[in-house]
Amino acid sequence: QVHVVESGGGSVQAGGSLRLTCIASGLTGCTFEMAWYRQVEGKEREFVSTIRGRFTSYADSVKGRFTVSRDNAENTLYLQMNAMKPEDTAMYYCKVEGQSGTSSRCVGDYWGQGTQVTVSS
C-alpha cells in the first residue's frame, strides 16, 4: 500500500520560513515523480513546485522564494519556503505520480493528507 505523508507546516509571520517534508512509502520497484500543491478552502488546488531530475519548476507566485529538493534514496520531497507572504497561507499537499514499475500500485496518483501553513501579516 502506498502512503504519502507531509509534515513541517505551521504558523509564521510574513517574511519567515518553513520547510515542508513529504515521505512516500510502499513504492519499492516503482518509478515516480513528486510534486507540491496547495489549496485554499473554497478554491481549486494549485501547483506549487516539482523536481524532475536536475530540473525544477515553480508557480510564478513562489519563484525566487521557494526551493524544492528531493532525496531519491529516502523517497522524500522537500519544500523550503522563505520570505513567506500571507497569500502563501494554504493547505500544502504532496502528490506522488506513479509512472511504471513491477506492481500495479506503481501506476497512479497518490496524495497525502496535507499540512497547514499559515502566514500572518
Side-chain angles (χ1 to χ4, degrees):
Q1 192 171 2
V2 177
H3 292 281
V4 181
V5 180
E6 306 97 335
S7 63
S11 297
V12 296
Q13 291 191 326
S17 299
L18 283 175
R19 189 192 196 204
L20 304 184
T21 299
C22 170
I23 300 176
S25 60
L27 289 162
T28 301
C30 303
T31 301
F32 57 94
E33 302 293 349
M34 301 175 78
W36 288 104
Y37 285 74
R38 67 186 182 185
Q39 187 172 23
V40 176
E41 190 171 351
K43 295 188 177 181
E44 290 189 358
R45 193 168 297 187
E46 65 176 10
F47 169 78
V48 176
S49 182
T50 189
I51 180 168
R52 310 286 168 115
R54 297 183 294 111
F55 300 98
T56 57
S57 178
Y58 298 94
D60 287 344
S61 59
V62 307
K63 280 180 182 177
R65 301 186 298 119
F66 291 9
T67 302
V68 65
S69 59
R70 177 172 172 174
D71 182 337
N72 291 323
E74 299 295 331
N75 291 344
T76 302
L77 186 71
Y78 302 98
L79 186 67
Q80 178 65 44
M81 305 185 292
N82 298 328
M84 298 184 72
K85 304 175 180 180
E87 50 263 45
D88 294 322
T89 295
M91 184 72 79
Y92 283 70
Y93 296 91
C94 179
K95 180 185 181 185
V96 172
E97 303 167 1
Q99 298 180 329
S100 63
T102 58
S103 169
S104 58
R105 72 181 187 285
C106 294
V107 178
D109 293 342
Y110 303 93
W111 293 89
Q113 293 298 306
T115 185
Q116 178 67 40
V117 170
T118 302
V119 185
S120 58
S121 58

